[in-house]
Amino acid sequence: MTTAATATGSTAVSAAATRTTAPLGRLAAAEVRWVLRRPRTLVLLVLLGLIPIALGVGIALTGGPGGDDGDGPGLVAAVAGNGLVLPIAALGLALALLLPLTVATAAADALAGESAHGTLRGLLLAPVGRTRLVVMKAVGVLAVAVLAVAILAVVGVITGMVVVGGPSGTLITLSGTTLGLGEALGRVGLVAAWTVVQLLAVAAIALAISSFTEHPLVVLAAVLGGLIVFGVLAAIPSLEWLQPLLLTSGWGAGADALRDPLPLDDLASSSLRALVYLVPGVAVTVWRMRRRDG
């Protein structure tokens, strides 16, 4: 009996000693919980939720700004009396700055922040492969991006239907046609998914920069500064040939969801451009983390 118990105990100890990896699902869940507990992440998510509310209340009180095109102020003008346009307009406005800031902050905290607090070295020494560590951190940033976009879309739909109002359960497109509730929500979901893809490109670049530094502010400055430079370059007529290379040049494509029939060219090309940024960003992050000591 004692011999059997000893053998069983030896087997358990041996199995524990030979375990060199931690379950990825458990690691990812722990990372998401940790990311969503950070006060700055919660503050940014609350601010995002306030955008459609402030926009909807402002338009309901003033009747909305003037304009008749499908981008920028004209898109905001289309919200007046047409509440289901609100989530799409809110996503477009937030994509200009606050959404990239949110994912860049999460990416900066994921690697540079951990390094600054001295906890990244412990993760590198833990029984977690370097590539698995990058996947775990990427899942945390992805969760922030998806949650941020979901908050904007859901709060936007509710605010649009309750505060702004308009034709019951319908959406009037910029082309003058009317869409039913189901198709209108489908258009909102399409813009939300497209926005997440754009944010993943920003997050991938931010993670790559974060893997080279231990100062989160460097990551934020680099990402936001890069987006500002892209915007300046896109505004120079003589550099029009450069626009297909700029990530931000397709960020107005979300307004196409309000046209009928739905044009997909700009949405598809901007998504492809985002993938072109995403792949090297992820590759550089994995390459750097596999060679990093702490």
Side-chain angles (χ1 to χ4, degrees):
M1 186 74 171
T2 304
T3 303
T6 302
T8 302
S10 299
T11 302
V13 171
S14 176
T18 56
R19 179 181 296 171
T20 58
T21 60
L24 184 58
R26 186 193 307 169
L27 292 173
E31 179 68 14
V32 171
R33 287 195 299 270
W34 175 248
V35 167
L36 296 181
R37 285 200 202 107
R38 292 186 182 126
R40 53 183 160 267
T41 302
L42 296 177
V43 169
L44 287 169
L45 292 176
V46 170
L47 289 176
L48 287 168
L50 292 176
I51 289 177
I53 295 176
L55 185 61
V57 170
I59 290 175
L61 292 177
T62 65
D68 58 4
D69 59 45
D71 197 7
L75 179 58
V76 176
V79 178
N82 195 13
L84 288 177
V85 176
L86 180 62
I88 297 177
L91 285 168
L93 290 175
L95 185 58
L97 179 62
L98 198 52
L99 280 173
L101 174 62
T102 301
V103 297
T105 299
D109 287 334
L111 295 176
E114 295 272 15
S115 181
H117 289 92
T119 54
L120 184 61
R121 180 177 291 274
L123 291 174
L124 294 176
L125 295 176
V128 182
R130 300 297 180 88
T131 303
R132 287 162 61 87
L133 176 61
V134 173
V135 172
M136 178 181 73
K137 294 298 183 182
V139 167
V141 179
L142 173 63
V144 172
V146 171
L147 183 58
V149 172
I151 288 173
L152 274 167
V154 172
V155 175
V157 168
I158 295 173
T159 304
M161 297 182 70
V162 174
V163 177
V164 178
S168 179
T170 61
L171 182 151
I172 301 174
T173 68
L174 298 174
S175 305
T177 59
T178 301
L179 303 179
L181 179 61
E183 190 172 358
L185 293 179
R187 298 288 181 97
V188 174
L190 173 65
V191 175
W194 171 83
T195 304
V196 170
V197 173
Q198 305 306 309
L199 293 179
L200 290 184
V202 175
I205 299 302
L207 275 175
I209 299 171
S210 185
S211 67
F212 283 91
T213 181
E214 58 182 29
H215 303 290
L217 288 179
V218 172
V219 181
L220 294 179
V223 172
L224 297 182
L227 293 178
I228 292 172
V229 170
F230 279 10
V232 171
L233 293 176
I236 300 176
S238 60
L239 295 179
E240 185 177 355
W241 58 271
L242 194 59
Q243 291 206 18
L245 303 177
L246 303 178
L247 176 63
T248 58
S249 64
W251 280 5
D256 287 348
L258 296 174
R259 304 187 188 279
D260 191 29
L262 175 63
L264 295 175
D265 291 348
D266 288 345
L267 290 169
S269 62
S270 56
S271 298
L272 180 60
R273 186 181 302 112
L275 293 177
V276 170
Y277 278 83
L278 187 150
V279 172
V282 172
V284 169
T285 304
V286 173
W287 173 84
R288 171 60 177 161
M289 294 305 297
R290 290 178 67 88
R291 288 159 177 77
R292 185 164 179 167
D293 294 327

